[in-house]
Amino acid sequence: MHRIDEFSWARIRRFAAAVGIGLVVAGCGRGHARLRQEAVAIPGDAVSASCGMRIAGSPGPRGEVFVEGRKQPLIFGSTRDLLGYVLQPENQARLEGMYVQDSARVDWHDPSDAADTFIPARKAYYVAWQTLPGSMGPTLATFADMDRAMAFRLRHGGQVLRFAQITPELISLLRDRCPQAGSPAASLARQCLRVVTASGENPVPGADGMMRMSPDGSRSAD
């Protein structure tokens, strides 16, 4: 048998290390590519994956979810329905990308179907317990920019959240007003009743513990 000298062993080790790194990078590259699905325009005849109803003509921001085994995304008529789907453990392993519409880029009552109105769902700012209805009732306003989300909250109430703060329980208890003090949802909305208005005043909740909107857009109690 030929004896392999120390120099040759060093070359073999370097080669093995290079191959190992290459395989890791390639593997990471494939995983990353799976997650780089781009948002697409919503077809005019699209129906919501959550209920089968046509999306055209419905209010509020919409969402798209790419899942393993499908070339086209699942379309959701509201951000609430999208979150209800993606937060289910049995669906999370199949996710390849998810998007919500930036509410600052669309007319709430007649949203655009354009692909460039969508933003990555994990990076969005969500306004929960706001007063504007979505296609199936209470929903979350979604924004790419925190300042826009806060301005919307000032006009329409609610609480600004990040994706990681939203839970299936929150989605199941979502309403179109801040939760009543002492209700099951109140613990999920700790900041909802502590809103500072544009005038700098701290509004006081009404008798039912909920904040109301006055005609000029400021918060007031009943």
Side-chain angles (χ1 to χ4, degrees):
M1 294 179 62
H2 294 290
R3 185 168 173 232
I4 301 177
D5 59 29
E6 185 176 345
F7 176 73
S8 297
W9 273 117
R11 293 182 63 186
I12 292 171
R13 286 195 297 270
R14 286 197 298 271
F15 176 76
V19 170
I21 292 172
L23 290 174
V24 170
V25 170
C28 290
R30 285 195 296 272
H32 188 60
R34 274 185 65 214
L35 297 173
R36 285 190 62 84
Q37 296 275 18
E38 299 293 338
V40 299
I42 298 177
D45 60 351
V47 298
S48 180
S50 60
C51 63
M53 294 182 62
R54 284 197 63 180
I55 292 174
S58 63
R62 293 116 182 220
E64 298 181 347
V65 176
F66 289 89
V67 297
E68 186 177 3
R70 287 180 56 100
K71 291 184 178 180
Q72 296 300 315
L74 298 172
I75 308 295
F76 291 87
S78 76
T79 56
R80 181 193 64 178
D81 291 345
L82 177 144
L83 289 164
Y85 177 86
V86 302
L87 293 176
Q88 295 302 315
E90 63 269 24
N91 297 327
Q92 291 178 355
R94 301 177 58 221
L95 298 179
E96 296 186 347
M98 50 185 169
Y99 296 87
V100 293
Q101 285 187 310
D102 183 356
S103 298
R105 301 183 193 177
V106 297
D107 179 336
W108 185 278
H109 301 288
D110 185 21
S112 168
D113 294 328
D116 63 4
T117 62
F118 287 91
I119 55 176
R122 293 186 185 277
K123 296 182 178 180
Y125 294 86
Y126 295 81
V127 187
W129 303 290
Q130 55 82 32
T131 59
L132 296 182
S135 63
M136 298 295 290
T139 195
L140 299 93
T142 43
F143 293 89
D145 181 77
M146 183 179 70
D147 289 341
R148 297 262 189 170
M150 295 299 290
F152 180 93
R153 176 201 188 194
L154 191 62
R155 294 185 61 196
H156 301 290
Q159 180 174 334
V160 179
L161 303 170
R162 301 310 306 271
F163 180 85
Q165 296 174 285
I166 302 172
T167 64
E169 181 186 16
L170 187 154
I171 295 301
S172 69
L173 295 173
L174 189 67
R175 299 293 182 268
D176 61 356
R177 293 289 192 279
C178 289
Q180 181 176 345
S183 70
S187 62
L188 301 171
R190 294 185 180 93
Q191 301 300 318
C192 207
L193 299 177
R194 295 198 291 272
V195 179
V196 178
T197 66
S199 65
E201 298 175 354
N202 291 307
V204 178
D208 61 358
M210 298 183 186
M211 301 308 302
R212 297 287 187 260
M213 295 294 301
S214 61
D216 64 357
S218 63
R219 305 298 297 280
S220 62
D222 283 341

